[in-house]
Amino acid sequence: MTGALLSGTGITKSYGATPALRGIDVTVGEGEIVAITGPSGCGKSTLLHCLAGILRADEGSVVYREQDLSLWSEASRSRLRRTEFGVLFQFGQLVPELTAAENVALPLLLAGSGRRDAREAALGWLARFGVADMADKRPPAMSGGQQQRCAAARALVTGPRVIFADEPTGALDQLSGEQVMTAMVQAVREQGSAVVLVTHEAPVAAYADREIVLRDGAIDPSGIGIVG
Amino acid sequence: MSTAHVLLGLLAGGPRHGYDLKRAHDDRLPQAKPLAYGQVYATLGRLERDGLVAQSGQDQEAGPERTSYELTELGRERLAAWLTEVEPPAPYVSSVLFNKVVVALLAGGTDQATGYLTAQRVAHMTRMRELTATKTRPGASVGDVVAADYAIGHLDADLRWLQTTLARVAELQKEVTS
Ligand SMILES: Nc1ncnc2c1ncn2[C@@H]1O[C@H](COP(=O)(O)OP(=O)(O)OP(=O)(O)O)[C@@H](O)[C@H]1O
Ligand SMILES: [Mg+2]
């Protein structure tokens, strides 16, 4: 690991009176896979959203390639998410009006690729995640697991520097979960992308190089994260 | 003992000599503890004594590693019986991990037990990461993946137990020392 690609310092966030994060320090190195684990409600998703620049922290800073994202406008952060970040949520969040191939091609089109190239790349990624036969179907006609594989393809298609994945296998059966994780890890190792991986399952966290355990909005130094 | 059955299974496709059997065992069961030559010959000796295998030939340069063995009719029957038999799920709960927690509470106290459980969790996670790295390595065989998954599943079961037991240490302490 050569210096931090992404780092959060003293990240604090509340929802109204509910504190969700109480001063979190994290760093993610170039090409590093970091798992964030811990019991339900401990703040994993909130931390991921803050690091990805989707949520703005109340206090603390998020620095990506030496730039403080908390000082950026929403428009600049959303441009960054399109170009350098890949985001994958528990429930696919595909565009329902577009086919699987169009969904996966979308980030490339937004980044200025030609239609033909974008479609070709999209088909390659769909194949890699085992859903080549879904290319011309729309999300409502796909199973939850197929949509999730498709969303994984979309998160990786631009070769992002950082992938943010929140419970990426949450909607999948065990075998599909393993296939998606293996395909994802192999792809990011080739691309040299870093991954922030939120999960509460040990076998999913084991795909990471390192694990950060949260407990009640803080990092649990013992790494056990139990409640009570 | 299952090594004997694995050797019978490897002989089902035709005669092989000891060296061959060792290699086939280690290839087909990746991540298993490699079979020692001594163990191969000791097991073949017992199987021969029991009439389950018989010597079928000798290569030019004689020596134990050049003797080949084949399944006998009895060996074939024994193998078939083993394959249809369901393994009984363990009737007793037996785990060094569990024993250690109880003894830690008896001999030390809750800190000792919690310290042990925490350290064990770290060791289990580390091993799980190693196995996961093995199975996601480009070019990993299906055998590598299936072997790693077996071990990962068992580590995961232990980890779940470690986690729930950590939450119950104080309660268990009361019961154990009452
Ligand atoms: N939009 C919101 N409004 C109010 N409170 C929220 C909101 N989102 C999260 N919270 C609260 O903030 C805390 C952290 O939530 P978060 O979703 O980050 O947890 P999590 O670790 O991802 O949990 P899970 O494993 O269940 O997904 C919880 O107490 C939750 O109830
Ligand atoms: Mg969450």
Side-chain angles (χ1 to χ4, degrees):
Chain A
M1 190 173 98
T2 52
L5 175 67
L6 176 71
S7 65
T9 311
I11 300 180
T12 303
K13 175 82 191 169
S14 296
Y15 296 102
T18 315
L21 298 175
R22 316 163 187 260
I24 304 271
D25 296 333
V26 286
T27 60
V28 180
E30 195 93 50
E32 194 184 23
I33 306 179
V34 177
I36 298 173
T37 64
S40 189
C42 68
K44 304 181 294 292
S45 297
T46 305
L47 178 57
L48 180 119
H49 285 86
C50 287
L51 290 172
I54 299 166
L55 272 180
R56 203 188 281 267
D58 300 336
E59 278 170 54
S61 63
V62 174
V63 175
Y64 172 70
R65 298 177 73 191
E66 287 158 20
Q67 306 230 41
D68 190 340
L69 298 192
S70 36
L71 306 176
W72 288 23
S73 67
E74 170 48 34
S76 320
R77 282 185 287 138
S78 105
R79 190 162 48 245
L80 180 73
R81 283 202 297 280
R82 268 209 312 275
T83 53
E84 312 226 347
F85 291 177
V87 185
L88 175 56
F89 295 108
Q90 178 168 353
F91 301 104
Q93 301 200 340
L94 298 170
V95 182
E97 295 79 13
L98 300 181
T99 65
E102 287 163 351
N103 264 285
V104 178
L106 189 59
L108 291 174
L109 295 175
L110 291 173
S113 295
R115 252 172 206 291
R116 191 181 289 269
D117 288 350
R119 178 168 169 88
E120 200 166 305
L123 294 178
W125 281 99
L126 286 171
R128 204 157 168 169
F129 280 97
V131 279
D133 51 340
M134 293 290 117
D136 296 318
K137 291 205 171 173
R138 288 185 172 75
M142 293 158 65
S143 77
Q146 289 161 344
Q147 292 181 41
Q148 191 63 358
R149 287 165 184 263
C150 186
R154 187 184 58 179
L156 286 156
V157 71
T158 56
R161 291 281 273 268
V162 192
I163 290 149
F164 296 91
D166 193 350
E167 303 279 7
T169 61
L172 303 177
D173 65 70
Q174 200 177 327
L175 181 59
S176 309
E178 268 162 36
Q179 290 168 339
V180 166
M181 283 309 299
T182 298
M184 182 156 106
V185 165
Q186 288 177 342
V188 303
R189 297 241 187 267
E190 281 166 30
Q191 294 182 345
S193 320
V195 182
V196 179
L197 172 64
V198 164
T199 180
H200 63 270
E201 293 173 78
V204 176
Y207 283 89
D209 302 308
R210 193 154 62 82
E211 180 185 13
I212 293 170
V213 183
L214 292 190
R215 182 178 182 177
D216 294 335
I219 291 177
D220 182 344
S222 72
I224 55 180
I226 51 157
V227 241
Chain B
M1 176 34 195
S2 122
T3 301
H5 292 106
V6 174
L7 295 190
L8 291 178
L10 291 171
L11 289 172
R16 291 174 185 253
H17 42 67
Y19 175 73
D20 229 20
L21 283 171
K22 182 245 174 336
R23 283 244 318 255
H25 171 278
D26 295 354
D27 285 353
R28 290 284 72 86
L29 300 175
Q31 319 287 327
K33 186 175 174 197
L35 210 49
Y37 286 112
Q39 202 187 343
V40 177
Y41 298 114
T43 308
L44 283 171
R46 259 182 285 121
L47 291 170
E48 189 179 11
R49 183 199 63 201
D50 295 342
L52 303 178
V53 304
Q55 296 192 14
S56 66
Q58 192 90 232
D59 280 12
Q60 299 295 16
E61 335 94 80
E65 64 277 18
R66 289 288 137 201
T67 306
S68 53
Y69 291 82
E70 64 185 3
L71 274 188
T72 62
E73 201 44 48
L74 186 61
R76 217 167 272 285
E77 283 168 19
R78 188 65 60 83
L79 178 63
W82 184 67
L83 288 176
T84 50
E85 192 179 295
V86 171
E87 295 296 321
Y92 295 104
V93 176
S94 117
S95 155
V96 185
L97 274 61
F98 180 35
N99 294 356
K100 211 170 254 201
V101 171
V102 173
V103 175
L105 288 174
L106 287 171
T110 52
D111 286 355
Q112 178 109 39
T114 302
Y116 163 68
L117 285 164
T118 308
Q120 191 67 59
R121 182 190 186 276
V122 172
H124 267 53
M125 266 321 289
T126 304
R127 180 68 186 132
M128 203 187 243
R129 267 196 289 273
E130 282 169 15
L131 289 159
T132 305
T134 306
K135 77 170 199 181
T136 54
R137 206 183 48 217
S141 68
V142 182
D144 287 328
V145 173
V146 172
D149 279 346
Y150 179 84
I152 290 168
H154 284 75
L155 289 169
D156 185 37
D158 279 355
L159 281 164
R160 288 165 195 259
W161 178 83
L162 289 166
Q163 203 85 351
T164 52
T165 306
L166 268 162
R168 291 181 171 139
V169 164
E171 244 182 303
L172 185 60
Q173 164 78 353
K174 277 194 209 128
E175 193 172 285
V176 162
T177 56
S178 68

